[in-house]
Amino acid sequence: MSWTVSVVTSATTDTQPSLVVNIDQANAKYIFNVAENSNRAYTQKGSHGKKTRAFFLTQVGAQRAGGLAGMLMCSADQSMHTLDVVGPPGLLHTIASMRSYIYRRVVQSMAVNIKEVALSSDLSSSPNPTYQDKNLTVYSIPILDDSHAASLDSTVCHEETTHFSTPRGSVKRKREPSPVDESLSDLMAEPGFSAEKLQGELADEWRRLMVKHMFPSTGLPPPPEKKCRDRDAPRQKRPKRCPEETPEEEPEADGIQDSRPRIPAGYHHQLPKFTPSWSVGTGAAPTSAYVVVGPSIRGKFDVEKSLALGVAVNQRSALTKGESVTVTVEEGDMTVEKVVHPHDCIGPSETPPAMIVLDIPSPAFINSIVYSFAQSPFYAKLRSSRPEDISETVVRTVFHLVGEGVLHDPRYIEFMNGFPANAHHVISSPECGPDPVTFTTAAFNQLRLHQLDPVMFPIPYYSLKPQRELSVIPGLPANCVVMESTFHMSSRPGAFPEYNRLPWERRDCFHPALRHPHLLMLSSPLLKKFTDVRAKIEERIANGTAPTTSKGSDVVVIPLGTASAVPTSSRNVSSTLIRIPGRGSLLLDAGEGTWGQLARHFGPEVDDVLRDLRCIFVSHIHGDHHAGVAKILLKRRQLNPRAMQPLYLVGVHKLHLYLRELADIEDLGLTDPNGVVTVISDALHVKRSGEYLNRGMWRIEGSEPWTDYERSVAAGMRLCVALGLERFATIDVFHQVKCYGVCIRSQDGWSIVFSGDTLPTQSLVRGGWAATLLIHEATMGDGEEEMARCKAHSTVGQAIDTARRMNAENVLLTHFSARYPRMPPPIESSGIRPPPGYGAPVRDPVVALAFDNVNLTIGNMWKLSMYLSVIQKAFADTKVEADEEEAKVARAAIH
């Protein structure tokens, strides 16, 4: 049995290292680290699917696990039965914090098994594996910084294991309640129960309960997908409850009763505080190293020898299974029976191969890993060159994920050289690796459109030259290479790693086209169309017939992500950056990967853009709209020099609750003087009722001090002063969960309205009347109105119709379904001319379609509208790659 290890992402501007171990014969995959953009990268490269058995995390913060939520949802939506997740302490708390947006409502869902690696090392000669199945055995080693040196001990630890399903191969039985269960049940029955006050094992038991409800697994077959009822729902009628709210009774699904327990009271209240043993925000969070050992492979079956021994063909399988067989042979004139043992015709077993994954964030962690390998007889053998040690396990590849200063430290160089000379070392270091574009399909599209308008379609930032070559670092082992996402390594028994390019990387058109422009695939007729449309634009500007914007023409609008639900190779999920000259910037939604999109767009200037950011508005608690917020807050917290102005974070209660729980793991700047000011969306409602609503889906779920109504109103006023706004008002819209749009009115007379996710709704028309720019979701194409209604989204025609009814000057359509992975759905004129509102004439707005990382201003929106026909032609001239895979993901996605 052989295995391969693929580097799916490396340390670049928008990704961090992620590895996948693939065992073809067993139809199994194992993924190491899932940082932000992992889901998009695995989609592009087709490296994730139902084969995945486990995730292994070396850290639980955003650096290594920022994409965990997206990967969990993707796994669940692919109908996987069981998934194991292994990582350092805090993993259980991190997953439980996602409960508001990873809640699965289906009868049967994926079961998640969580194992936290204990901080005490097992340095015995036979440590217990952290994970084991028939394919791999994985051992974990905690890596602590020097401030934890006093806690290093060589006692055998007892790892804490959290199981939410029957372990593989075991007999399913009803779990008897433990004393902790009974105590928790008693506490939950008490009036005024608050999970936030729980501590110790009771706190962990509550977190396990949360995850159990996030991923219910009943063993029943999944119910058929329900059809939308064939009736028109009134636009302003609010749903009685949203999918994430707690119902009193769960409905039956086609006769199958949902046996999942009811969601407990307090599900949407704050988790018990996680108190780590390290100081949060100091870079001292522990990491985990993993030693991955493959199975011992039986030797080669010698057919000729078996025939000589009289073994029949139908007896060979028994020998390969390790069983002895009885054969009948002729010896002279006699017929005798003999026993043939497996070793008589099977060669010696191959030595099990091993790989090691090390995560060393800074030189302060070096002593810990050196100590563990020196003190443990088991781990010491992995660095031995003695024949008797190599015959037990042979280390083929060591992956080093190292931070600044580690690779130059003499202690670490000595540690690396301690491995056998023929071991290969794959090094991930930001200073020693190139920074190529990760999502080459999107970049190639951008590069081609760059020939149409280099200002509107800038080339994403990249660098193919590392800051420093590995060759200049003295003393490194001979077999050292820089980790790149093109690596595909085979670890066949008896052979050492071979490096090949991944099949997907052979289809990278972007980087070759940078060097050879003829590879852009721009035909002469298409280039002529580019020239003609530019000439028409210049002519309209010259003769004064170009559309003009009343005010705010210099306000910059940069769509950073224009996909809905799941990312595609061409589009990231939702986010739009608004830059107000002389005032600052604000983000409208920030799905996973938004930081990477910012960094690719602005390159080395991204830190200044982050300092200039004054507001993040999050419409609702769906992962494709908010999962990138934590990474942006973390990056802002790490700025040097720091930002001098606060950042206002406007969102629903569940968003703030989620981020405050994450802040127990790593510092997001929520308590800094110029850090993050949290604002509850409900308090800035356009109607300004003076208090929160307390009914239905619009109620406030909690009563924490930071939910105070007047506190949020005052913060909203300070936000308006910071950005020079007359008003920043949220607008209730119609989606599957509580969702707000927003109207931003400047003191200079312009206004921008953002719809969030919604069906067409009159509340948005009223709240954003006469907007200079409406940014509206257009998830579905025209003709898909019924599907849009089922999912509480809008079609292209409905979005344009909303702009007409709003009397908006411009409308920018975004949030396109993965059914349209590259080119948005076509614009079809609806022909609707509703009566004007507020006595003003209805006008046709300038209509533009959003593309990731396009540079727009309100004043040049009309240019993008004129470019649309040639952009469609440009996309039609190229072969659509990975559409089948993306469509598969889109069909599986639940949104």
Side-chain angles (χ1 to χ4, degrees):
M1 182 183 297
S2 64
W3 64 2
T4 58
V5 184
S6 301
V7 178
V8 178
T9 56
S10 56
T12 67
T13 292
D14 49 6
T15 58
Q16 288 296 318
S18 182
L19 315 172
V20 57
V21 176
N22 186 18
I23 303 179
D24 289 327
Q25 296 93 325
N27 201 32
K29 292 185 178 183
Y30 307 84
I31 293 175
F32 289 79
N33 285 337
V34 285
E36 273 209 4
N37 274 324
S38 290
N39 195 17
R40 187 181 181 191
Y42 277 85
T43 296
Q44 174 172 277
K45 299 180 180 181
S47 300
H48 181 39
K50 294 182 180 180
K51 296 180 180 180
T52 303
R53 302 286 182 86
F55 295 155
F56 297 90
L57 306 178
T58 59
Q59 299 180 35
V60 293
Q63 185 79 351
R64 300 286 187 252
L68 179 58
M71 293 292 280
L72 285 173
M73 288 189 283
C74 179
S75 300
D77 292 339
Q78 294 183 51
S79 301
M80 290 176 56
H81 178 65
T82 303
L83 181 70
D84 296 294
V85 186
V86 181
L91 175 61
L92 176 60
H93 182 85
T94 298
I95 295 179
S97 72
M98 304 170 185
R99 64 196 179 282
S100 291
Y101 63 98
I102 305 189
Y103 177 72
R104 318 311 292 177
R105 294 185 57 79
V106 295
V107 175
Q108 177 179 336
S109 181
M110 176 182 70
V112 176
N113 302 328
I114 302 174
K115 170 169 279 193
E116 292 189 341
V117 177
L119 291 183
S120 55
S121 299
D122 183 349
L123 302 182
S124 66
S125 59
S126 182
N128 292 322
T130 299
Y131 175 92
Q132 188 172 30
D133 63 13
K134 63 181 181 180
N135 305 313
L136 297 178
T137 301
V138 182
Y139 303 89
S140 59
I141 307 172
I143 308 177
L144 312 176
D145 82 326
D146 289 338
S147 64
H148 288 76
S151 66
L152 288 172
D153 61 66
S154 57
T155 60
V156 177
C157 66
H158 300 281
E159 289 111 337
E160 298 179 2
T161 307
T162 304
H163 287 290
F164 299 116
S165 70
T166 305
R168 294 190 183 95
S170 63
V171 178
K172 193 168 184 178
R173 64 179 62 183
K174 185 174 180 181
R175 179 174 174 269
E176 296 298 327
S178 67
V180 172
D181 291 326
E182 295 173 347
S183 298
L184 181 60
S185 300
D186 293 341
L187 289 172
M188 291 170 61
E190 294 180 1
F193 166 72
S194 174
E196 186 179 1
K197 299 177 182 178
L198 297 175
Q199 297 179 355
E201 181 57 28
L202 283 172
D204 276 347
E205 191 68 18
W206 177 261
R207 297 184 183 102
R208 295 184 189 106
L209 183 63
M210 297 298 98
V211 179
K212 181 177 180 179
H213 282 280
M214 292 164 61
F215 298 99
S217 181
T218 65
L220 296 174
E225 183 179 354
K226 290 188 175 181
K227 302 290 186 181
C228 286
R229 289 172 291 179
D230 190 16
R231 61 181 176 82
D232 294 328
R235 283 182 174 174
Q236 292 305 109
K237 185 177 180 180
R238 301 296 182 222
K240 293 181 179 179
R241 63 178 176 88
C242 62
E244 64 182 9
E245 290 183 310
T246 305
E248 290 298 319
E249 294 183 2
E250 292 290 344
E252 293 186 6
D254 293 346
I256 300 176
Q257 178 66 40
D258 187 346
S259 60
R260 179 186 61 244
R262 293 179 181 178
I263 293 177
Y267 182 87
H268 293 301
H269 295 173
Q270 189 148 351
L271 290 174
K273 185 174 179 60
F274 177 77
T275 306
S277 60
W278 63 91
S279 179
V280 175
T282 62
T287 72
S288 293
Y290 295 103
V291 176
V292 184
V293 181
S296 178
I297 311 301
R298 67 171 177 82
K300 185 177 180 180
F301 188 87
D302 193 326
V303 176
E304 292 184 1
K305 186 177 289 187
S306 70
L307 292 174
L309 292 172
V311 177
V313 174
N314 60 1
Q315 293 178 309
R316 293 176 185 174
S317 61
L319 289 170
T320 59
K321 294 176 183 178
E323 302 172 4
S324 299
V325 297
T326 301
V327 299
T328 301
V329 297
E330 299 289 338
E331 289 189 354
D333 297 331
M334 299 179 60
T335 300
V336 298
E337 290 186 345
K338 288 188 176 182
V339 177
V340 178
H341 302 286
H343 63 264
D344 293 330
C345 49
I346 297 178
S349 298
E350 299 282 355
T351 302
M355 76 174 214
I356 300 175
V357 181
L358 303 174
D359 191 346
I360 315 296
S362 74
F365 290 79
I366 294 176
N367 285 337
S368 176
I369 191 64
V370 171
Y371 179 90
S372 294
F373 272 85
Q375 296 300 313
S376 164
F378 178 81
Y379 298 127
K381 289 182 180 180
L382 299 176
R383 302 177 72 231
S384 172
S385 297
R386 296 186 304 175
E388 59 269 30
D389 293 332
I390 294 178
S391 65
E392 295 182 16
T393 304
V394 56
V395 175
R396 304 190 183 282
T397 311
V398 184
F399 293 93
H400 304 266
L401 317 183
V402 298
E404 185 176 355
V406 173
L407 211 53
H408 303 275
D409 194 296
R411 295 171 300 166
Y412 200 72
I413 293 175
E414 180 181 1
F415 171 74
M416 293 176 67
N417 280 290
F419 287 94
N422 52 7
H424 285 228
H425 299 265
V426 181
I427 298 171
S428 170
S429 170
E431 60 182 341
C432 293
D435 188 9
V437 164
T438 304
F439 304 106
T440 54
T441 300
F444 183 62
N445 295 339
Q446 190 89 346
L447 181 60
R448 298 178 80 242
L449 296 180
H450 182 76
Q451 317 308 310
L452 171 65
D453 190 326
V455 175
M456 188 173 288
F457 300 98
I459 298 173
Y461 171 77
Y462 71 96
S463 175
L464 300 181
K465 185 178 180 180
Q467 300 175 29
R468 180 173 300 174
E469 299 286 349
L470 276 183
S471 58
V472 304
I473 302 176
L476 291 178
N479 297 325
C480 283
V481 293
V482 173
M483 180 184 293
E484 297 184 29
S485 60
T486 58
F487 281 177
H488 184 69
M489 290 152 280
S490 174
S491 292
R492 301 187 319 276
F496 274 83
E498 296 177 358
Y499 301 98
N500 301 299
R501 290 171 62 83
L502 286 167
W504 182 269
E505 301 302 332
R506 301 189 189 109
R507 288 180 271 169
D508 170 14
C509 298
F510 173 75
H511 295 100
L514 288 170
R515 300 187 298 270
H516 307 289
H518 68 277
L519 297 177
L520 285 170
M521 292 184 281
L522 295 172
S523 63
S524 297
L526 181 59
L527 290 173
K528 185 177 184 305
K529 289 180 181 294
F530 282 7
T531 302
D532 291 346
V533 73
R534 287 195 297 262
K536 289 179 181 179
I537 288 174
E538 294 300 325
E539 181 182 352
R540 295 192 68 175
I541 294 174
N543 62 26
T545 60
T548 57
T549 299
S550 56
K551 294 179 180 179
S553 61
D554 59 346
V555 174
V556 177
V557 181
I558 303 175
L560 298 170
T562 57
S564 70
V566 292
T568 71
S569 58
S570 296
R571 296 179 178 275
N572 198 46
V573 287
S574 302
S575 186
T576 304
L577 179 69
I578 309 295
R579 306 192 76 186
I580 305 173
R583 292 292 187 175
S585 304
L586 64 155
L587 269 177
L588 304 177
D589 282 339
E592 180 188 332
T594 295
W595 164 254
Q597 295 288 89
L598 280 168
R600 286 294 181 196
H601 190 89
F602 292 101
E605 298 176 4
V606 68
D607 284 357
D608 293 332
V609 174
L610 200 52
R611 290 188 189 92
D612 193 51
L613 190 63
R614 297 288 179 267
C615 172
I616 300 177
F617 170 78
V618 177
S619 57
H620 62 294
I621 189 84
H622 273 168
D624 59 318
H625 293 262
H626 83 274
V629 173
K631 182 65 173 288
I632 292 174
L633 299 186
L634 179 66
K635 286 292 185 179
R636 187 178 186 274
R637 173 69 177 78
Q638 295 171 347
L639 286 173
N640 186 18
R642 297 281 185 89
M644 301 304 295
Q645 300 293 330
L647 171 65
Y648 296 89
L649 177 61
V650 183
V652 295
H653 174 270
K654 289 187 175 74
L655 170 73
H656 298 298
L657 186 67
Y658 163 66
L659 292 173
R660 287 175 183 274
E661 291 170 356
L662 278 188
D664 289 346
I665 303 295
E666 57 186 347
D667 189 358
L668 301 179
L670 300 181
T671 59
D672 291 354
N674 290 322
V676 180
V677 177
T678 56
V679 184
I680 306 296
S681 300
D682 311 56
L684 304 186
H685 193 272
V686 66
K687 292 184 178 179
R688 290 290 197 271
S689 62
E691 61 181 1
Y692 292 126
L693 294 178
N694 59 4
R695 62 183 182 277
M697 68 184 294
W698 300 103
R699 71 185 186 277
I700 290 290
E701 295 87 350
S703 57
E704 299 87 351
W706 45 268
T707 64
D708 180 71
Y709 183 89
E710 295 300 330
R711 176 184 179 276
S712 286
V713 170
M717 294 175 64
R718 296 196 300 273
L719 166 61
C720 288
V721 172
L723 287 174
L725 303 179
E726 179 183 300
R727 196 176 196 189
F728 187 101
T730 59
I731 305 168
D732 54 296
V733 294
F734 196 166
H735 194 42
Q736 294 173 330
V737 298
K738 179 195 284 189
C739 183
Y740 285 102
V742 66
C743 178
I744 303 163
R745 293 194 180 275
S746 170
Q747 296 171 353
D748 297 330
W750 55 265
S751 63
I752 295 177
V753 176
F754 173 55
S755 71
D757 282 6
T758 183
L759 281 166
T761 174
Q762 189 63 23
S763 62
L764 191 68
V765 174
R766 290 195 299 264
W769 177 253
T772 311
L773 171 64
L774 168 63
I775 303 173
H776 201 290
E777 69 120 299
T779 308
M780 305 296 178
D782 291 336
E784 297 178 321
E785 288 77 12
E786 180 65 14
M787 184 181 296
R789 188 181 69 81
C790 290
K791 297 180 178 292
H793 285 298
S794 298
T795 66
V796 167
Q798 289 170 339
I800 296 173
D801 179 51
T802 298
R804 290 191 184 116
R805 291 188 291 121
M806 186 185 288
N807 202 27
E809 294 183 39
N810 304 273
V811 58
L812 180 65
L813 305 183
T814 186
H815 196 266
F816 306 114
S817 168
R819 292 171 178 81
Y820 312 99
R822 303 210 309 168
M823 191 67 201
I827 297 175
E828 303 289 347
S829 176
S830 64
I832 300 174
R833 294 294 184 273
Y838 298 93
V842 171
R843 59 185 166 193
D844 281 331
V846 172
V847 180
L849 299 180
F851 296 87
D852 283 21
N853 287 308
V854 61
N855 253 334
L856 296 173
T857 64
I858 294 179
N860 72 6
M861 203 75 60
W862 64 275
K863 288 186 180 181
L864 181 58
S865 180
M866 288 192 67
Y867 286 148
L868 181 58
S869 61
V870 295
I871 292 174
Q872 289 175 323
K873 177 62 177 172
F875 280 117
D877 282 355
T878 58
K879 180 181 178 181
V880 177
E881 297 174 341
D883 283 1
E884 181 179 347
E885 177 67 22
E886 290 165 351
K888 180 180 177 181
V889 174
R891 288 193 296 269
I894 298 174
H895 183 60

